[in-house]
Amino acid sequence: MDALVRRLSQLDTEAEGALRVVMFYDTLMRRRVDLPALTRASAGMAECVAGVRLHGTGQVIRFSPDGREASAPPPPAFSTTPITLDEEEIGTVWLERTGPSGSLDEVLLDRLAIAVATVVERYGPARTTMADPALVELVISADSDDAARARALRLLGFTADVPVRVIAVRSRLPLDHIGGLICPNRPVKAAPVAEVGVILATTVDPARFPAGVRAGIGATASPDRSWRQGRTALRFSTALQPIVHYDHLGALALLAQVPRDAARDNADVAAIARMADNPDDLDTLDAYCATGSLRRAAETLHLHHSSVARRLEQIGKTLGFELTDPTGLIRARLALTAWRLLDD
């Protein structure tokens, strides 16, 4: 290679410079540098600010030729080159010169773009939890083909051989905070989609969900199916059971398919609706349906069991059937669940 460089230098100094740029990036790739190191080295080589932006995550990296992160705003115009991977533009690289472009800028940007694509393909994007909502929507959409979904997953940092579970979330807490808690030290991405938080994770620890979060966890099926399951499970979440696995719903999941008008016209559901103005009765019925025991319901409500018994007797009269009867308990559970699903 050195002999070739010497021969080319005798013919064309620009060709020699271009070859040195190629060798420079070949060396960086052999060293398996990450994106910040790659950008920093490029800035030093170009003797101006170099930048990288990934569309999928919105990540922007800028370094000055002195090796420090660039803080000054970029000039209004500078040389740019797209980063392509599998014939798709995934980002942009650029050089921020205040004067005219250098003779080797085009070669340098081409090699930098190729190197960034290699790093992204090898390691995935930098480990950040929040992701581009459009990219996440591409993963969970039933309209996406397998190739587009696989490409989007790779750009988000997931490998093809690891199943991805989708979690639908409602919470005032930041999605990145929730994602980091339930899937520590493993790939996890989050984004808001259609007024619902979406978390893509390779593993989920339900015990690590913080208080105040309601979530529906889909199975490790295809991401689009897991997303539908997660949204369905989220509809079944309550204050007493805020985290719901779709797999644990069993036949209850069929209630989500009941037409709203049919559910609303059901006598038991209509009776629950008439109780909606009395939160104490609803809380009592919810606790009893969730525990199946008068005493455990009393413990949940922090009341004496005799007080809960009196409430349940009155609620039974409102509903028109005996709650302590096994059949009555089943009817109450189904009616309460169906009534809740009307609001989702």
Side-chain angles (χ1 to χ4, degrees), residues 260-271:
R260 293 177 188 270
D261 289 342
R264 195 176 286 111
D265 292 341
N266 180 268
D268 290 352
V269 177

Side-chain angles (χ1 to χ4, degrees), residues 24-287:
F24 174 76
Y25 282 101
D26 285 347
T27 301
L28 291 177
M29 288 298 92
R30 285 197 299 271
R31 293 177 179 175
R32 296 179 176 267
V33 298
D34 58 12
L35 293 182
L38 185 59
T39 311
R40 185 187 299 110
S42 299
M45 165 70 80
E47 298 183 343
C48 69
V49 173
V52 173
R53 184 186 189 279
L54 297 180
H55 299 329
T57 62
Q59 180 187 18
V60 176
I61 306 171
R62 294 172 65 234
F63 275 94
S64 300
D66 60 4
R68 300 178 181 178
E69 289 191 42
S71 56
F78 46 82
S79 301
T80 64
T81 296
I83 307 166
T84 59
L85 183 62
D86 291 342
E87 300 182 355
E88 179 181 357
E89 183 176 329
I90 65 168
T92 308
V93 296
W94 65 85
L95 297 177
E96 301 175 14
R97 291 199 188 278
T98 55
S101 299
S103 59
L104 296 175
D105 281 3
E106 185 176 349
V107 176
L108 191 149
L109 284 174
D110 284 342
R111 299 304 300 183
L112 174 56
I114 293 172
V116 171
T118 301
V119 173
V120 170
E121 186 172 34
R122 181 182 297 161
Y123 302 112
R127 184 173 175 79
T128 56
T129 300
M130 295 306 295
D132 183 354
L135 205 57
V136 172
E137 192 164 8
L138 186 62
V139 170
I140 63 177
S141 174
D143 297 328
S144 299
D145 57 50
D146 291 341
R149 182 176 290 111
R151 185 182 303 114
L153 283 169
R154 186 176 65 240
L155 292 176
L156 288 169
F158 296 99
T159 58
D161 58 335
V162 177
V164 174
R165 192 184 296 267
V166 184
I167 303 99
V169 175
R170 291 193 189 277
S171 175
R172 294 182 180 180
L173 296 175
L175 283 175
D176 56 344
H177 174 66
I178 300 171
L181 285 175
I182 67 173
C183 186
N185 304 318
R186 298 291 297 276
V188 57
K189 294 292 178 182
V193 175
E195 299 182 357
V196 177
V198 181
I199 297 177
L200 307 177
T202 51
T203 61
V204 180
D205 185 350
R208 295 179 64 90
F209 277 99
V213 174
R214 291 195 180 187
I217 304 174
T220 53
S222 60
D224 58 320
R225 184 179 177 187
S226 185
W227 166 235
R228 292 195 301 271
Q229 293 174 346
R231 282 189 303 171
T232 297
L234 178 63
R235 297 177 63 191
F236 286 84
S237 65
T238 67
L240 293 178
Q241 189 178 10
I243 312 302
V244 178
H245 285 260
Y246 180 85
D247 287 344
H248 296 172
L249 287 174
L252 285 175
L254 296 174
L255 286 177
Q257 301 178 30
V258 175
R260 293 177 188 270
D261 289 342
R264 195 176 286 111
D265 292 341
N266 180 268
D268 290 352
V269 177
I272 296 291
R274 290 194 295 271
M275 293 172 49
D277 293 333
N278 191 331
D280 288 342
D281 283 351
L282 279 179
D283 289 345
T284 301
L285 183 60
D286 186 22

